[in-house]
Amino acid sequence: MKRIKKLTLFMLLGAFSFSSCEKDNDETTVDNDAPVIDLSGDAFPVQCSTLKRGETFTFKTKFSDNVELGTYSIDIHHNFDHHSHSTEFEECDLQPKKDPVKPFLFIKSYDIPSGQKTYEAVQQIEVPADIDPGDYHFMVSVSDHVGWNTIKGLSISIVE
């Protein structure tokens, strides 16, 4: 009788261990990878791009994730003091430092339709005509459905 109880207990523990391991290795339920921002091809803007005051430009890039994408955001802010959070190796020519008078500030988040592993983001963004021209940062961030996040920081300029 003791032998049957031990054998039953051993079989239950074995079955539980096997099913646990199987779940942990199932890549469709575990997402340990951050999403990717692809700035190649016809992406815009890219490092050192120039935008014009009073004009609308088309933001375009591709996102991908191993399981499912979630949201992305865009943050454009001045870099008149030459602070840095660029993620690109290429350095851009910067204008002299200056104090902001009426800098452009754009911060907006966008949902990616659910179930997407790849997504091409396209947004029309208007640059007001009356903002300070100069050096800016263009930050792109993408999160996947479980919260992993990737950020690209680009240096751009806005001219008259």
Side-chain angles (χ1 to χ4, degrees):
M1 184 73 163
K2 275 187 177 182
R3 181 178 245 182
I4 292 174
K5 284 183 182 179
K6 283 183 182 180
L7 184 58
T8 304
L9 180 61
F10 178 74
M11 288 173 51
L12 286 173
L13 287 174
F16 177 73
S17 296
F18 179 72
S19 68
S20 294
C21 290
E22 202 172 297
K23 252 189 183 173
D24 288 345
N25 292 328
D26 184 359
E27 289 188 25
T28 61
T29 58
V30 176
D31 186 353
N32 291 321
D33 296 332
V36 174
I37 300 171
D38 182 357
L39 294 174
S40 63
D42 61 349
F44 188 82
V46 294
Q47 181 75 346
C48 303
S49 289
T50 300
L51 307 176
K52 291 187 178 180
R53 293 190 320 172
E55 292 187 4
T56 298
F57 70 95
T58 303
F59 162 72
K60 189 173 185 181
T61 195
K62 293 177 184 171
F63 303 120
S64 61
D65 187 63
N66 63 319
V67 178
E68 183 179 351
L69 293 163
T71 63
Y72 72 95
S73 63
I74 299 169
D75 172 337
I76 305 170
H77 61 271
H78 80 81
N79 185 25
F80 301 160
D81 60 358
H82 296 178
H83 67 277
S84 180
H85 24 228
S86 177
T87 59
E88 305 304 293
F89 293 110
E90 179 185 359
E91 290 191 30
C92 306
D93 294 330
L94 298 177
Q95 299 177 19
K97 290 181 180 181
K98 66 180 186 179
D99 292 324
V101 176
K102 190 172 182 185
F104 182 38
L105 179 63
F106 180 92
I107 301 172
K108 191 163 182 183
S109 293
Y110 304 90
D111 290 328
I112 296 172
S114 51
Q116 302 295 309
K117 286 186 176 185
T118 61
Y119 184 75
E120 183 173 8
V122 178
Q123 292 296 329
Q124 298 292 311
I125 300 174
E126 181 182 344
V127 180
D130 60 346
I131 55 102
D132 295 338
D135 300 316
Y136 283 81
H137 281 142
F138 191 101
M139 308 293 293
V140 180
S141 173
V142 63
S143 298
D144 67 14
H145 76 291
V146 295
W148 291 107
N149 190 348
T150 299
I151 297 173
K152 290 281 188 176
L154 307 172
S155 294
I156 62 168
S157 62
I158 297 178
V159 298
E160 303 209 28

